[in-house]
Amino acid sequence: MRLKVDVLPTEELVYPDVVLVVDVIRSTTTAVCFLEAGAETLYWVPSLEAARAFKDADVLLAGEVGGLKPPGFDLGNSPREALEAPVGGKTVVMSTTNGTRAAHVAARTAKHVLLASLFNAHAAARLARELATEEVAILAAGKEGRVGLDDLYTAGVLAEYLGLLGEVEPEDGARIALAVKRNYQDPLEALSLSAAAMALKGVGLEADVPFSAQVAKSAVVPILTGRVGEALIFKRALPGTLKEPGNQAHEKGHPQ
């Protein structure tokens, strides 16, 4: 099984199989928390304008600009807040600066797109391994076009666990991510040094960093099940359940 890590989303990337999208501070962590809190569906859209087009009584808008909740949105991009948000049975439409763009890059070609973070790292890796036939790729979102230490460290955690699940053939990007992971004994140290963490500190949301540094706290994995307009539709999946009759996550992850 090939194991690939791309440190930034670029338009020329092509994925033949499974992609784990990582934006650990904060959108992929927050996505898991919304589903943990009972959200029925997540719509990931590429812009604030696209998000606002979905607004109605049964839809909640979540996102950030400069780390803060945009005007007119119901929720921000804090995983701490998402876990306690009143989203039961609702559709949450998310637009963030880095994570949603990375997911759209992956969705252009991949068979399956999963959202991964430290919070659901082991579950995401297990599900990726179950789905993959030839390759697992990890796509780090980065921060505004620059490589992010936080996402690269998380990619290393995922790569290491994938190696424990079975034999893998790591490409150079995966070897770099593994080396970064080995350089930090504490996830919080790696995340705290990142530009994303520094930016959150500047707007008073630094408490999201230690929350995002928790490893394997959730078994929930957001999986791409389709598309409506500009929105990628993610639903809840659990490792070991995709072959159960009637499970919606059994659908192919690329846009229909």
Side-chain angles (χ1 to χ4, degrees):
M1 183 79 64
R2 291 193 309 272
L3 177 58
K4 176 180 177 181
V5 172
D6 288 314
V7 300
L8 281 174
T10 58
E11 294 304 318
E12 65 268 17
L13 291 174
V14 175
Y15 296 109
D17 205 351
V18 178
V19 182
L20 291 160
V21 175
V22 174
D23 184 11
V24 68
I25 303 177
R26 298 169 290 171
S27 64
T28 55
T29 306
T30 300
V32 173
C33 289
F34 276 134
L35 293 177
E36 281 277 13
E40 178 69 23
T41 308
L42 302 178
Y43 284 11
W44 271 35
V45 296
S47 67
L48 300 181
E49 293 72 23
R52 291 187 176 103
F54 283 98
K55 179 63 177 173
D56 66 31
D58 297 318
V59 171
L60 297 172
L61 304 187
E64 57 81 25
V65 174
L68 299 174
K69 182 176 72 173
F73 274 49
D74 304 291
L75 302 159
N77 188 33
S78 167
R80 294 177 297 117
E81 295 173 2
L83 200 57
E84 304 297 328
V87 297
K90 298 273 191 178
T91 293
V92 178
V93 179
M94 292 183 67
S95 174
T96 67
T97 304
N98 304 295
T100 49
R101 175 175 178 260
H104 276 76
V105 168
R108 287 188 295 107
T109 56
K111 291 179 183 177
H112 303 280
V113 178
L114 314 178
L115 303 183
S117 61
L118 292 176
F119 202 68
N120 72 338
H122 292 179
R126 288 197 302 271
L127 185 56
R129 186 79 193 197
E130 289 173 15
L131 293 170
T133 57
E134 57 181 299
E135 176 184 282
V136 175
I138 303 168
L139 176 57
K143 180 170 174 55
E144 298 169 11
R146 301 178 70 88
V147 176
L149 173 61
D150 53 328
D151 291 340
L152 195 53
Y153 174 86
T154 304
V157 171
L158 291 164
E160 184 176 76
Y161 193 68
L162 283 162
L164 294 175
L165 294 174
E167 186 175 350
V168 295
E169 301 170 9
E171 297 187 354
D172 282 359
R175 294 185 187 279
I176 292 168
L178 286 164
V180 170
K181 194 273 176 184
R182 287 193 293 267
N183 194 55
Y184 295 97
Q185 297 302 312
D186 181 2
L188 182 56
E189 180 187 7
L191 267 60
S192 295
L193 292 171
S194 69
M198 301 297 183
L200 286 183
K201 186 176 181 179
V203 294
L205 291 170
E206 60 268 30
D208 282 348
V209 179
F211 185 98
S212 300
Q214 298 177 93
V215 179
K217 296 297 183 181
S218 174
V220 170
V221 185
I223 186 169
L224 181 63
T225 61
R227 183 194 293 266
V228 56
E230 292 187 277
L232 303 178
I233 303 172
F234 287 91
K235 290 184 177 288
R236 173 191 182 108
L238 301 171
T241 65
L242 291 193
K243 297 187 185 302
E244 293 179 1
N247 192 306
Q248 291 176 304
H250 188 58
E251 302 172 36
K252 280 193 173 183
H254 58 84
Q256 303 299 312

